[in-house]
Amino acid sequence: MRLSWLVLLLFLWPVLTRAQNENITGKVIGKETKSPVSRASVFLSNSSFGTITSADGSFSLSKIRPGQYTLVVTAIGFTDYTKTVLVADEPIKLNIEMEPKVIQLREVVISGNKSDWKRNYEQFKREFIGTDENAKNCEVINPSILNITYHKTQQVLEVDADQFLVVENRGLGYRVKFLLKNFKSDKIAGNISYEGQRLFEELPGNEAQKKRWRINRDLAYYGSPMHFYRALYTDKLKEEGFDVRKLTRYPNTDRPSDEVIHRKIEMFTSLRRGDSVNHYIELSNLSKYAHERIATVPWASFELLRSTQETGIYAITYPNYLYVIYTKKRDETNFKDIYRPLDMPNYEISVCTLFNSPPYSLFDKNGVVVGESPLYEGTWSKLRLSELLPVDYEPSDKPK
């Protein structure tokens, strides 16, 4: 009897292990033709999980860390497909129909010479890729795909792309493929925002390079938002080096809103009133806050964390602003609108603002925000592509 069970187990083992490893499988077809779409890119955004569909349109993604992901499918001639998937114990099988893409001719706008494009491109690289040591080791493989527009009067830079922007990050050892949408840099407001999906691929390297990449990846991880959210849901904020406080801010009534400043600068520029333009530029440089106060007692995880009806999805909620101190790293940057008590060491400080009403933000076990992200100021506002890690990243060592 035991022998028969052993034989049966040996027979079923390849099937059982394959079912456990293949978290997501499926087939991609055209919605109108019902024909298979081959060579389509299928990946989980912000992760290192990606593949290409075979000749019959089928694909498989395996060994995925549990969590909520955005599955993305892109193919020439079709509109990008996205779907939220929650990876847990049960395998996921998908039948995906791709909508044909309507080709629209992009209007050609001649806004300057080659030096203008190069200057705008260099600004984009600084603000999208970064200026840290890792950024110095990043190379944009295909910059010509970028559509760049600079609005001089508003001091706004806008960038997008119709295909993957490929960046090789030899500081962290990743090739990052980014579907960039709606990049916007607003100098007056001091905000940078963008949308898009990205896939991480391991770069080939020798043992010495891989060792250096592991060290750099750990440095990028510790103190990051991903590290913070993971520490929050496991109730290890203090143990992991985070001191989290309530921050109250009182607006500076001498500084108009960003919207008013934009409108005034644009109006006075059209009227050629240079003195008035300069006046509002000076106002934009004022601090947004006249006074700030930090609570004396740190928040505990249970005061910030809420469960949700979805397995593996958590909510963070707090009044006013969240003041996050990471005590295991220093940051010498002087942020105009970030308050730091005179007796506080130069720890890394980030301020988080929620937008929903009531205020909350969702994140998963990977430490990745699901849906609308909080606004980050301070150290986290400096994070660029040069320091991004895939959501399935696991640190190798604890910080020294």
Side-chain angles (χ1 to χ4, degrees):
M1 186 67 174
R2 289 181 179 177
L3 183 61
S4 62
W5 273 108
L6 180 61
V7 172
L8 180 60
L9 181 60
L10 291 174
F11 176 76
L12 292 176
W13 182 251
V15 178
L16 294 173
T17 54
R18 185 167 63 249
Q20 291 173 348
N21 289 334
E22 293 179 347
N23 300 84
I24 304 176
T25 59
K27 188 171 184 178
V28 181
I29 63 173
K31 185 173 183 179
E32 293 185 354
T33 64
K34 306 302 180 185
S35 300
V37 179
S38 62
R39 304 295 300 170
S41 295
V42 182
F43 64 97
L44 300 180
S45 183
N46 299 329
S47 79
S48 58
F49 299 108
T51 188
I52 302 293
T53 57
S54 59
D56 66 352
S58 62
F59 67 89
S60 174
L61 298 172
S62 59
K63 298 181 180 179
I64 303 170
R65 177 188 171 102
Q68 183 163 300
Y69 299 85
T70 299
L71 182 130
V72 184
V73 185
T74 68
I76 296 175
F78 295 92
T79 301
D80 295 345
Y81 173 92
T82 61
K83 180 180 177 63
T84 300
V85 293
L86 183 61
V87 175
D89 296 330
E90 295 297 321
I92 300 171
K93 187 171 184 179
L94 302 172
N95 292 310
I96 297 171
E97 294 186 342
M98 300 283 284
E99 294 271 4
K101 189 174 186 178
V102 178
I103 305 298
Q104 294 181 335
L105 295 178
R106 179 182 294 271
E107 181 182 359
V108 178
V109 179
I110 301 175
S111 57
N113 53 35
K114 290 183 178 179
S115 63
D116 291 333
W117 191 94
K118 184 176 180 181
R119 181 175 60 252
N120 296 334
Y121 172 63
E122 291 299 325
Q123 178 185 339
F124 165 75
K125 281 206 307 180
R126 290 193 304 271
E127 296 178 339
F128 182 67
I129 296 177
T131 58
D132 64 333
E133 287 301 313
N134 289 334
K136 297 175 184 178
N137 293 300
C138 288
E139 179 185 1
V140 180
I141 304 302
N142 54 345
S144 61
I145 71 164
L146 295 172
N147 306 306
I148 303 178
T149 305
Y150 182 68
H151 305 277
K152 187 175 182 180
T153 58
Q154 298 177 338
Q155 300 186 54
V156 170
L157 179 70
E158 294 183 322
V159 185
D160 63 26
D162 297 322
Q163 54 185 288
F164 279 112
L165 179 69
V166 182
V167 180
E168 290 194 351
N169 184 346
R170 296 197 170 275
L172 297 182
Y174 293 116
R175 179 182 294 109
V176 186
K177 295 180 177 179
F178 207 111
L179 287 175
L180 181 64
K181 309 290 183 185
N182 305 324
F183 174 91
K184 182 178 180 180
S185 171
D186 186 330
K187 185 176 181 181
I188 292 175
N191 293 334
I192 297 172
S193 61
Y194 58 85
E195 301 173 16
Q197 314 291 349
R198 51 185 173 257
L199 172 66
F200 292 80
E201 297 177 348
E202 293 276 352
L203 287 175
N206 56 40
E207 285 305 312
Q209 288 174 317
K210 290 180 180 179
K211 181 179 179 180
R212 177 170 59 86
W213 291 340
R214 284 194 295 271
I215 293 173
N216 290 345
R217 290 173 184 181
D218 283 352
L219 288 173
Y221 172 78
Y222 287 110
S224 68
M226 180 189 292
H227 181 202
F228 167 75
Y229 290 117
R230 290 182 181 181
L232 177 63
Y233 94 81
T234 56
D235 193 20
K236 294 181 179 179
L237 286 175
K238 185 176 181 180
E239 179 183 337
E240 294 291 331
F242 291 102
D243 184 324
V244 185
R245 313 270 180 123
K246 176 184 177 181
L247 172 66
T248 305
R249 285 170 158 175
Y250 302 89
N252 181 0
T253 56
D254 292 332
R255 185 190 189 279
S257 68
D258 293 333
E259 182 182 357
V260 170
I261 292 175
H262 270 298
R263 190 170 64 248
K264 293 292 186 180
I265 289 178
E266 189 170 5
M267 180 184 71
F268 287 122
T269 299
S270 65
L271 295 174
R272 298 184 180 181
R273 299 273 295 277
D275 290 343
S276 297
V277 171
N278 291 333
H279 171 68
Y280 277 93
I281 290 176
E282 290 175 2
L283 289 177
S284 72
N285 292 325
L286 295 177
S287 174
K288 294 181 180 180
Y289 309 102
H291 177 64
E292 297 174 272
R293 188 176 70 240
I294 302 171
T296 56
V297 180
W299 288 110
S301 291
F302 73 87
E303 296 176 288
L304 303 171
L305 189 67
R306 301 290 183 272
S307 59
T308 71
Q309 294 180 343
E310 290 190 72
T311 304
I313 303 297
Y314 303 90
I316 180 173
T317 181
Y318 47 85
N320 302 109
Y321 304 88
L322 197 66
Y323 193 86
V324 182
I325 308 166
Y326 185 60
T327 62
K328 297 185 179 182
K329 283 185 182 179
R330 303 294 177 107
D331 189 346
E332 305 299 329
T333 307
N334 181 26
F335 296 101
K336 181 182 69 175
D337 291 318
I338 298 297
Y339 170 69
R340 182 191 297 271
L342 295 177
D343 59 348
M344 178 185 290
N346 289 335
Y347 295 136
E348 289 188 344
I349 294 176
S350 302
V351 174
C352 309
T353 307
L354 297 175
F355 293 109
N356 294 305
S357 183
Y360 74 92
S361 186
L362 301 176
F363 66 96
D364 66 12
K365 285 185 175 181
N366 292 325
V368 175
V369 172
V370 178
E372 186 174 22
S373 174
L375 171 66
Y376 296 140
E377 302 172 71
T379 298
W380 289 352
S381 73
K382 297 192 303 179
L383 297 179
R384 300 292 184 261
L385 184 140
S386 63
E387 295 184 85
L388 289 182
L389 298 166
V391 298
D392 47 299
Y393 179 73
E394 284 288 354
S396 56
D397 297 303
K398 290 290 183 184
K400 303 293 185 185

